[in-house]
Amino acid sequence: MKKSLRDEKLESKADEAWNQVLENSEVLKAPAEYKEIALGDVKLQYQNFADQQGSTLSDVLANFGMTEDDLPSLAMDTMKERMVAKTIAKREKLSVDDSYLKSFLEEMLGVDKNSKNLTELIKTYKEEQSSHPKDDALIAKAKDFVASKCKTTKS
């Protein structure tokens, strides 16, 4: 239990650091296709959540105080996060190999380690989460990198 609380605290600090990086980043220009892909991924995530709840997309969005008109804004945030992660990865020479991708997908999908091969994991992830699993894994890696460079102080 202690380890899990410690892990949660570290994850919270990593999220905070990552959010600061995103807040202080600006996308000056983005290809239209990136925006379309991000919008498709955001819609997929909310639709899958609605399906799991036995609800409609509109009802789920309403529960979050949103409508479908809010999805493009969320998609822009998703696109920005991908672009920031790719920039950090390029500058810091971070990459996602098959082993990291497999572990990431197993964790995100909540499946037992080694219960599926990488191809099956990618297919499931694309159906349930996002069309770009490697980008999402890169975001996780960039987020971990940013967190590893942060100095924490006692509050």
Side-chain angles (χ1 to χ4, degrees):
M1 183 75 160
K2 228 178 192 179
K3 183 180 181 191
S4 130
L5 290 174
R6 182 178 179 271
D7 289 346
E8 284 180 25
K9 193 171 185 178
L10 289 173
E11 188 172 324
S12 174
K13 287 181 181 184
D15 287 341
E16 189 176 318
W18 183 246
N19 288 335
Q20 280 191 317
V21 167
L22 292 176
E23 285 173 19
N24 292 309
S25 300
E26 183 180 0
V27 175
L28 300 176
K29 190 175 179 182
E33 70 183 53
Y34 283 21
K35 295 174 188 177
E36 292 169 24
I37 289 168
L39 182 58
D41 285 347
V42 167
K43 281 184 179 178
L44 175 67
Q45 290 169 353
Y46 280 97
Q47 185 61 59
N48 283 338
F49 184 73
D51 293 346
Q52 290 171 357
Q53 301 299 313
S55 187
T56 66
L57 176 60
S58 296
D59 288 343
V60 165
L61 292 172
N63 288 337
F64 288 109
M66 299 185 299
T67 67
E68 287 196 50
D69 292 339
D70 294 310
L71 294 180
S73 174
L74 293 173
M76 291 300 288
D77 292 342
T78 299
M79 182 195 68
K80 179 180 180 179
E81 188 170 31
R82 283 185 180 147
M83 292 179 77
V84 168
K86 286 181 177 189
T87 300
I88 291 170
K90 184 176 181 179
R91 288 185 179 166
E92 300 299 333
K93 296 176 178 49
L94 304 176
S95 63
V96 172
D97 61 15
D98 286 352
S99 174
Y100 184 90
L101 181 59
K102 189 172 189 293
S103 294
F104 170 81
L105 294 173
E106 288 168 340
E107 181 179 339
M108 295 305 295
L109 294 169
V111 299
D112 292 333
K113 194 172 181 81
N114 297 319
S115 65
K116 293 184 175 187
N117 66 38
L118 182 57
T119 303
E120 292 170 324
L121 289 167
I122 289 170
K123 182 179 184 278
T124 302
Y125 190 83
K126 284 182 174 182
E127 290 170 354
E128 296 178 5
Q129 302 275 335
S130 164
S131 61
H132 289 80
K134 200 163 187 175
D135 284 356
D136 295 346
L138 189 61
I139 290 169
K141 194 162 212 172
K143 181 178 166 182
D144 290 344
F145 173 80
V146 167
S148 75
K149 297 299 179 186
C150 291
K151 293 182 183 178
T152 58
T153 58
K154 290 187 180 183
S155 42

